[in-house]
Amino acid sequence: MQPNRDIPCFRVLGASSPFGSTCMRVGWKATDDGFLLPRSRLFCDVLHLSGTVPANTAVFAAQVAELCGEVGARAVFWSPETAESKSAAEIAAFWQTHHALRVYSPFAIPGAIPVVSDLSGPLPTQAAAAILARAAITEIRNGKAEKRIATSGEIGALIETYRPEIAFSAELAANFFTLHPNDATIFAVFDTEETLTTRVTRAVKNGAAAVFCDICEKI
């Protein structure tokens, strides 16, 4: 999954998920009184933090920096609910200046490395890419189309039942198949580890400074 040693690629995991490679763990959430911690504190390279910006920003910033030291994190992926606030920028600057932590965010926090999920073209300078694993089903019946998010179990069950021919879409960088059961048409699109690797490689070629990528469930 690492397309280039100079470009960090972080796998996105739950707080207690076992994984031996470079990863970001989710499960920490800031509150007005500080922040909530998951029970497990496994090693990670990036600590994901969501929620509100606490009133006591100095204590909060120091606590997060200390936690990063405990789990070995070298960066914070921050998604505060009030990203536009002055406090968010001050906290990000504290982490960077006093603890040499990189700060990534999908929001426009001054000084933070922007994270974008629209990978249809070249990325902004020094931006990171967010790549989510896809699994979707579109069902067409009686002239009406309904598209919905699917689970890997649903996709796997369709494959097991109907044994369709699975093809690869270069445009979508995803696998797909089409079925025609009971006067309906079912079109399924899904990712695998191979298609995720393709998307990571494309993101790097489009200028991604780092990549955050889902773990794909086996289908």
Side-chain angles (χ1 to χ4, degrees):
M1 181 58 68
Q2 182 75 313
N4 185 323
R5 291 184 179 180
D6 297 327
I7 306 296
C9 179
F10 305 106
R11 304 310 298 271
V12 180
L13 300 168
S16 59
S17 304
F19 200 77
S21 186
T22 308
C23 65
M24 173 176 74
R25 295 193 185 279
V26 298
W28 288 266
K29 183 173 183 178
T31 68
D32 291 336
D33 300 323
F35 63 100
L36 303 176
L37 299 174
R39 291 182 179 179
S40 60
R41 301 192 193 183
L42 299 180
F43 176 88
C44 63
D45 296 277
V46 181
L47 189 148
H48 180 280
L49 184 63
S50 62
T52 60
V53 178
N56 194 331
T57 57
V59 171
F60 167 71
Q63 287 177 327
V64 173
E66 181 180 357
L67 178 61
C68 286
E70 291 177 7
V71 300
R74 296 168 289 129
V76 177
F77 188 110
W78 200 22
S79 304
E81 294 174 1
T82 51
E84 71 284 352
S85 71
K86 180 181 177 182
S87 297
E90 291 174 347
I91 292 171
F94 173 83
W95 289 334
Q96 294 168 323
T97 303
H98 297 283
H99 295 275
L101 291 168
R102 289 189 175 185
V103 180
Y104 298 93
S105 181
F107 303 116
I109 298 177
I113 300 170
V115 180
V116 299
S117 56
D118 182 0
L119 308 179
S120 58
L123 274 67
T125 303
Q126 294 303 309
I131 296 178
L132 303 177
R134 300 162 298 182
I137 292 174
T138 300
E139 182 172 349
I140 303 173
R141 189 184 298 271
N142 299 325
K144 296 182 179 180
E146 180 181 347
K147 182 179 179 179
R148 60 182 177 83
I149 302 299
T151 65
S152 59
E154 288 181 275
I155 299 290
L158 289 174
I159 293 174
E160 180 68 22
T161 301
Y162 296 101
R163 302 291 181 180
E165 180 178 346
I166 299 173
F168 174 76
S169 167
E171 181 180 0
L172 297 175
N175 291 331
F176 71 93
F177 60 82
T178 303
L179 301 172
H180 301 282
N182 303 321
D183 298 322
T185 296
I186 293 177
F187 179 71
V189 177
F190 62 97
D191 274 312
T192 62
E193 282 295 306
E194 290 75 16
T195 61
L196 287 180
T197 299
T198 298
R199 294 171 66 197
V200 168
T201 301
R202 288 184 180 180
V204 172
K205 288 182 178 179
N206 282 338
V211 179
F212 295 88
C213 184
D214 264 348
I215 293 288
C216 238
E217 295 183 24
K218 284 195 174 182
I219 293 178

